[in-house]
């Protein structure tokens, strides 16, 4: 079997698996368990699996483009880089969420303080309401 | 008649000391408003502070020193305080220290840092602040880096006793800094064109509680501090 070739059986299994995965992601979006922005990422990923399963020669071309002789190594490299990129993206999303959470906590603390302060009049040195 | 003043005290599990700190401030500075920011304490910190006569802002969970101070700055900004001082809740900073900082602030500075290292090095003076060797190295390293990054001489970059005028309040109400904000804040203030001055202060041994540092945390602190200074130096600044 030449490099980059697959049996028809393997192709069908892989494509079927990818399509099921895409359907599952769509279902998660439909139930509002996954937001569109992240779902898109996964759908694109699985769509690429479909493409490479349908046209195994494509992997050989990609490998040649990357200057890698063995397409299996190209697959390994692409998978590794994509995984790292995804993790960085998740870290960014997590940082943003953390910042939002902190901001909400601060606003909550200030709101509660202002409500309590206004409910119980204090010394005349109290600042005027803005 | 001096201008209105807000004293902010970030506190995390400081029920043993916070009431005395608030009492001390209220009796020495009767015109000041004292705001304790309870950073998600598990103990009765908020209750003790409230009982002692302070305003209390309670963060619903532990957010860290930067976000806690930011909350205080934001309160000052929204309610139009022209002067703000922050000090530690553990009793290290006496009301005299606050007055020293204020004097410096009223002298025309935008941001005042209280330094614990006195110039007259008298080894018989038992009241002097004497950190452990490793901590002294750390403080010296960061003070040097912050001095370089800010273009002003800072000998105690980790000091928690600071005072801010209107320009600094506006700057820090937006953002004071992350988990370890002491360095970043100074670099940002300097790069935003604020006038920074230092004043020498005497600190007391902490009245209660323990330092939040452990060996592992110290390593994390150093790495985090280096990163935050580097990032603060390279970030674009909005003119204040």
């Amino acid at each position: 079997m030449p490099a980059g070739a697959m049996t028809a059986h393997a192709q069908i299994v892989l494509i079927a698996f990818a399509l099921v995965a895409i359907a599952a992601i769509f279902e998660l979006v439909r139930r509002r368990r996954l937001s569109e922005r992240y779902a898109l990422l996964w759908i694109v990923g699985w769509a690429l699996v479909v493409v490479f399963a349908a046209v195994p020669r494509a992997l050989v071309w990609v490998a040649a483009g990357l200057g890698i002789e063995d397409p299996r190594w190209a697959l390994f490299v692409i998978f590794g880089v994509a995984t790292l990129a995804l993790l960085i993206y998740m870290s960014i999303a997590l940082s943003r969420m953390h910042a939002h959470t902190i901001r909400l906590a601060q606003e909550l603390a200030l709101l509660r303080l202002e409500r309590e302060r206004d409910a119980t009049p204090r010394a005349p040195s109290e600042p005027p309401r803005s | 008649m001096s201008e209105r003043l807000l004293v902010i005290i970030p506190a995390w599990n400081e029920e043993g000391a916070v009431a005395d700190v608030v009492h001390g401030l209220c009796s020495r500075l009767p015109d000041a408003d004292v705001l304790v920011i309870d950073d998600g304490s598990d103990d009765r910190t908020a209750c003790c502070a409230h009982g002692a006569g302070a305003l209390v802002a309670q963060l619903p969970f532990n957010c860290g020193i930067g976000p806690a101070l930011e909350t205080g700055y934001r309160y000052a900004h929204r309610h139009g305080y022209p002067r703000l001082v922050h000090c530690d809740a553990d009793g290290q900073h006496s009301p005299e220290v606050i007055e020293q900082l204020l004097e410096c602030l009223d002298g025309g500075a935008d941001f005042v840092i209280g330094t614990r290292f006195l110039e007259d090095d008298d080894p018989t003076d038992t009241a002097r602040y004497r950190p452990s060797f490793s901590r002294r190295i750390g403080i010296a390293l960061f003070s040097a880096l912050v001095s370089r990054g800010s273009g002003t001489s800072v000998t105690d970059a980790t000091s928690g006793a600071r005072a801010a005028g209107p320009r600094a309040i506006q700057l820090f109400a937006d953002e004071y800094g992350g988990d370890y904000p002491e360095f970043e804040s100074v670099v940002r203030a300097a790069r935003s064109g604020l006038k920074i001055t230092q004043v020498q202060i005497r600190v007391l041994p902490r009245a209660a509680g323990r330092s939040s540092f452990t060996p592992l945390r110290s390593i994390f602190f150093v790495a985090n501090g280096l990163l935050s200074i580097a990032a603060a130096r390279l970030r674009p600044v909005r003119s204040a």
Side-chain angles (χ1 to χ4, degrees), chain A residues 2-16:
Chain A
M6 295 173 92
T7 63
H9 182 90
Q11 280 181 291
I12 290 165
V13 169
L14 203 54
I15 290 171

Side-chain angles (χ1 to χ4, degrees), chain A residues 101-103 105-110 112-114 117 122 125-128 130, chain B residues 4 33 35 53 55-56 58-61 63 67 70-71 74-75 78-79 81:
Chain A
T101 310
I102 293 285
R103 188 69 191 239
Q106 292 173 326
E107 293 299 330
L108 177 68
L110 288 175
R112 286 207 312 214
L113 164 63
E114 280 155 0
R117 196 197 57 181
R122 293 168 55 91
S125 68
E126 192 62 21
S130 57
Chain B
R4 283 165 61 223
D33 291 319
L35 170 61
L55 294 163
V56 180
Q58 256 185 300
L59 291 164
F61 46 83
C63 294
E70 229 165 76
T71 308
R74 211 165 287 159
Y75 184 83
R78 285 183 190 170
H79 296 276
Y81 287 90

